[in-house]
Amino acid sequence: MSISNSLIKPSVINGSSSVVSRAAAFEDFLPNDFIQMYIGSSSSQVPRRLLAADGISSVNLKLKGLSRGFYAKHQRIVTGPCASEESVHDDLSSSQPQTMQFVLGMSDLLFVSVATFSGKEYLFSVERAANHRVRDIKKRICERELPSSSEDVELVLAGIPLEDHCLINDLDKHRDFGAVGSCHLHLLVRKNARVHAKSGPGRTMELSVNATEIASLPSIQEVGDEVCPGTVPLALPCSRTTSSDPIEPTMLGNSSSLKGEGFQAMMSDVGTGLLEGHVPHLTSDGSGGTYLMSDASGASTIAVFKPMDEEPLAVNCPRGMAPSLDGEGLKRGTRVGEGAFREVAAYLLDHPLNEGDSEGFASVPPTTLVGCPASFFPRSGSPKSPLDDLEGRKVGSLQKFVNSFSNCEDMGPSRFPASEVHKIAVLDMRLANTDRNGANILVQRVDGPSGVKLIPIDHGYCIPDKFEDCTFEWLYWPQSKVPFAEETLEYISKLDANKDIAILRESGWSLNAACIKVLQAATMLLKKGASAGKTAFDIGTIMVRDDPDVPSLIESLVEEAEMEAQRVGNQSFEVCLAAAIDQCLF
């Protein structure tokens, strides 16, 4: 076993790990930890823990739908659609042999009451009235929690803002919300806790779990009203005045993103290098904190680490930039602290040309989210950032270091094969990259007629929430006007923005509604443009502004589609956007 495992670890933020099995996702019980509660779904490998910072003393639940059946097996109760996921439950049960496990379908819950040892109580109830709408929930939130009008409150589900007129009963049927309907609540309970279940009126069941009689806790530190790192509130209204704040850091880059054992070896080697005294080396260029990580010998750089709290305009940026006042990143449409997520997202969405290929079509280097002890960094005495994880590690993206002899900024484009330029162009247009310049395209020597391979890096400003700052260096190269090869056209035809959104959601990053529209619009424009015989230059010029103060054509098309969808009412944004793009291209 390598001791470096204690240094470089997959990031754990808000109770989620970026490389973790279902069993490992459930934490070991502490001496005074009697009840643990998690939320999970069939599409996600990592359940998220609730109220980790405050011990749970009791849980009371009311469940509906006994006609669908429930059963007790191996000291657990399983209800709803999750009852068929036997392998998942067996895996979790084996991880905590001294506990009972209850897996409850969220769609079956009518009422949940959770009490903590510090005296707090959380209530969650669901009224099944057929005509209840989102506006009714917002009104109740304002009455109970917020001294403001419901018009100032926005509810978000799976990263998508909910319209006031939406029926509550229809939300889990909406295709944009993916696997929301398959969510389930996990309870891990010590066997000596008191558990009682009984039938209730109207074919319901009541379940209570109580640990107060067996607990002898010391005084618990008051945590106040602040939501502590590592906890997930049962309900959290989002005010429109703060909805543009940086997204809540969460797991990104789960086991599905780790292609082979190279990631584990890279993290182990980086950890060993740190133990040998080879501290991270801050690069001389760049606008944020970019660190070269060495192997055990210190002679070779094997990875590049970018901490979230040292991004441009972040609180600990080492380049002397003042922190952003409104949270907006260096590029419009991005947020400070999101760069690491976007770096990993670019790798996750760089699908291979052929199934089974170890490298993506655009050759984005392997990237994942990790935590690294802050004490190894020159600015370890700087203010602790909310982007650090619970164990005091700096959280950021870790990317495999790529050896290259140059970059495109230092070379003219004449030596670059059109196919290599096109793979970069396809990636940039798909992800609406706002920071593609010659310096972040590396040039490698390879065997073959051209002897050159291009490697794209620095994707911290892709998938923005607006097209305003889209920038493509390759747009001014002659290769951009060369028609796409058949191989590239086939690859483009298989792209699916909604599947990409689902991949990111399952990996831990739920895009907000604006980012979703940008990804959908960019992918649709690329697919339709390529199918119509357009070149990368033709499509790219639609996305890039000629004048910084004049919207690009894609911005106008998106605005037109939004207005048409609102006017017609019975057509989705995607349908209206497709019609607008077709009119533009043909």
Side-chain angles (χ1 to χ4, degrees):
M1 183 180 72
S2 172
I3 57 176
S4 64
N5 289 338
S6 64
L7 294 178
I8 296 293
K9 295 183 179 180
S11 171
V12 180
I13 313 177
N14 297 321
S16 296
S17 169
S18 61
V19 184
V20 66
S21 69
R22 289 183 176 92
F26 289 81
E27 303 170 22
D28 294 332
F29 276 80
L30 298 174
N32 294 316
D33 202 5
F34 299 99
I35 302 173
Q36 293 182 0
M37 181 181 292
Y38 299 81
I39 284 182
S41 72
S42 58
S43 63
S44 175
Q45 295 189 352
V46 184
R48 299 186 69 186
R49 187 172 178 184
L50 307 176
L51 301 175
D54 200 355
I56 297 176
S57 61
S58 66
V59 179
N60 294 282
L61 310 100
K62 178 182 280 190
L63 306 165
K64 75 173 182 70
L66 291 186
S67 59
R68 297 168 59 185
F70 75 97
Y71 63 91
K73 184 177 180 182
H74 302 311
Q75 295 183 306
R76 67 181 184 272
I77 293 176
V78 181
T79 75
C82 55
S84 62
E85 300 173 24
E86 203 59 34
S87 62
V88 177
H89 308 316
D90 288 341
D91 187 23
L92 298 177
S93 295
S94 62
S95 70
Q96 299 284 0
Q98 300 303 315
T99 67
M100 295 175 286
Q101 182 189 172
F102 303 89
V103 186
L104 311 168
M106 294 291 283
S107 59
D108 292 332
L109 291 176
L110 294 172
F111 175 86
V112 181
S113 172
V114 181
T116 70
F117 285 108
S118 63
K120 296 184 179 180
E121 185 172 2
Y122 301 87
L123 300 176
F124 174 74
S125 62
V126 178
E127 297 180 13
R128 299 285 172 175
N131 61 345
H132 271 204
R133 301 180 183 273
V134 170
R135 68 169 70 95
D136 301 317
I137 303 298
K138 291 167 63 174
K139 182 178 179 181
R140 293 181 60 183
I141 289 174
C142 290
E143 290 174 348
R144 296 185 181 185
E145 305 289 343
L146 300 174
S148 61
S149 167
S150 61
E151 295 180 356
D152 299 324
V153 174
E154 183 176 50
L155 298 184
V156 178
L157 179 62
I160 301 175
L162 302 179
E163 300 293 337
D164 285 355
H165 64 272
C166 290
L167 290 171
I168 300 300
N169 285 343
D170 289 343
L171 294 181
D172 61 350
K173 305 173 187 176
H174 198 292
R175 63 181 179 85
D176 287 341
F177 300 139
V180 170
S182 64
C183 290
H184 37 272
L185 183 72
H186 295 265
L187 290 178
L188 290 184
V189 183
R190 281 196 181 185
K191 287 184 178 179
N192 52 352
R194 190 176 69 177
V195 179
H196 180 66
K198 67 177 182 178
S199 298
R203 303 182 68 85
T204 62
M205 182 182 77
E206 296 177 6
L207 174 68
S208 65
V209 182
N210 195 308
T212 55
E213 295 181 4
I214 60 172
S216 57
L217 290 176
S219 60
I220 297 177
Q221 182 178 357
E222 178 63 39
V223 295
D225 295 328
E226 180 178 323
V227 178
C228 295
T231 68
V232 181
L234 288 176
L236 183 62
C238 180
S239 169
R240 282 193 180 134
T241 60
T242 60
S243 61
S244 63
D245 289 345
I247 59 172
E248 179 186 8
T250 183
M251 181 274 295
L252 186 66
N254 62 15
S255 56
S256 65
S257 75
L258 307 182
K259 305 170 185 175
E261 299 180 356
F263 266 101
Q264 300 299 332
M266 178 176 67
M267 288 189 288
S268 177
D269 290 345
V270 169
T272 304
L274 291 173
L275 285 176
E276 292 294 327
H278 308 301
V279 298
H281 174 69
L282 180 66
T283 61
S284 59
D285 56 354
S287 51
T290 301
Y291 294 88
L292 303 181
M293 313 297 283
S294 301
D295 63 4
S297 69
S300 299
T301 299
I302 57 175
V304 178
F305 181 59
K306 296 181 180 180
M308 298 168 99
D309 69 321
E310 295 191 24
E311 291 179 9
L313 305 183
V315 62
N316 289 329
C317 177
R319 310 295 182 181
M321 293 185 178
S324 174
L325 296 179
D326 59 1
E328 186 169 51
L330 202 59
K331 299 291 183 176
R332 286 171 288 189
T334 64
R335 311 298 301 174
V336 174
E338 293 181 2
F341 295 107
R342 289 181 158 87
E343 292 274 6
V344 182
Y347 170 66
L348 289 175
L349 302 188
D350 183 22
H351 310 302
L353 178 63
N354 302 303
E355 187 174 353
D357 289 353
S358 60
E359 185 177 70
F361 179 70
S363 305
V364 176
T367 313
T368 192
L369 200 71
V370 303
C372 185
S375 59
F376 285 99
F377 292 83
R379 293 174 60 82
S380 60
S382 56
K384 179 173 174 57
S385 167
L387 300 177
D388 292 348
D389 71 5
L390 297 180
E391 298 180 30
R393 293 190 297 261
K394 278 184 175 288
V395 176
S397 62
L398 186 73
Q399 185 173 84
K400 181 179 179 181
F401 180 77
V402 175
N403 287 301
S404 60
F405 77 91
S406 187
N407 61 56
C408 292
E409 188 174 61
D410 296 333
M411 296 180 61
S414 60
R415 290 184 56 188
F416 306 151
S419 59
E420 288 295 303
V421 174
H422 289 173
K423 74 179 188 181
I424 308 293
V426 168
L427 179 75
D428 288 344
M429 290 188 288
R430 283 179 60 204
L431 306 184
N433 197 347
T434 62
D435 189 34
R436 175 61 71 214
N437 55 70
N440 57 35
I441 305 177
L442 305 180
V443 184
Q444 277 188 325
R445 289 191 176 95
V446 295
D447 296 332
S450 69
V452 168
K453 179 180 180 180
L454 301 184
I455 306 291
I457 59 172
D458 294 346
H459 297 104
Y461 295 112
C462 67
I463 320 180
D465 61 26
K466 61 184 72 171
F467 286 99
E468 203 168 323
D469 269 356
C470 278
T471 304
F472 307 141
E473 171 73 18
W474 46 261
L475 195 63
Y476 310 103
W477 299 350
Q479 295 91 333
S480 69
K481 297 183 179 180
V482 175
F484 290 122
E486 286 299 322
E487 185 179 68
T488 303
L489 290 172
E490 181 180 359
Y491 177 82
I492 294 173
S493 69
K494 296 177 181 179
L495 297 174
D496 187 325
N498 290 324
K499 287 184 178 179
D500 289 341
I501 293 165
I503 288 172
L504 296 182
R505 182 185 301 138
E506 291 166 10
S507 296
W509 186 23
S510 293
L511 297 176
N512 63 44
C515 292
I516 286 175
K517 284 186 177 180
V518 166
L519 186 57
Q520 288 174 334
T523 305
M524 185 182 296
L525 175 63
L526 173 62
K527 289 170 65 74
K528 286 182 172 291
S531 177
K534 303 297 183 181
T535 64
F537 176 83
D538 297 328
I539 303 170
T541 52
I542 295 176
M543 301 179 66
V544 174
R545 290 186 172 191
D546 288 331
D547 185 322
D549 298 323
V550 178
S552 63
L553 185 51
I554 187 62
E555 292 176 83
S556 300
L557 294 175
V558 169
E559 183 179 5
E560 177 185 335
E562 290 174 334
M563 294 176 61
E564 181 66 12
Q566 186 175 10
R567 185 185 68 82
V568 177
N570 60 350
Q571 290 184 341
S572 69
F573 164 75
E574 289 179 85
V575 172
C576 295
L577 179 63
I581 291 177
D582 286 341
Q583 186 175 5
C584 171
L585 294 175
F586 298 103

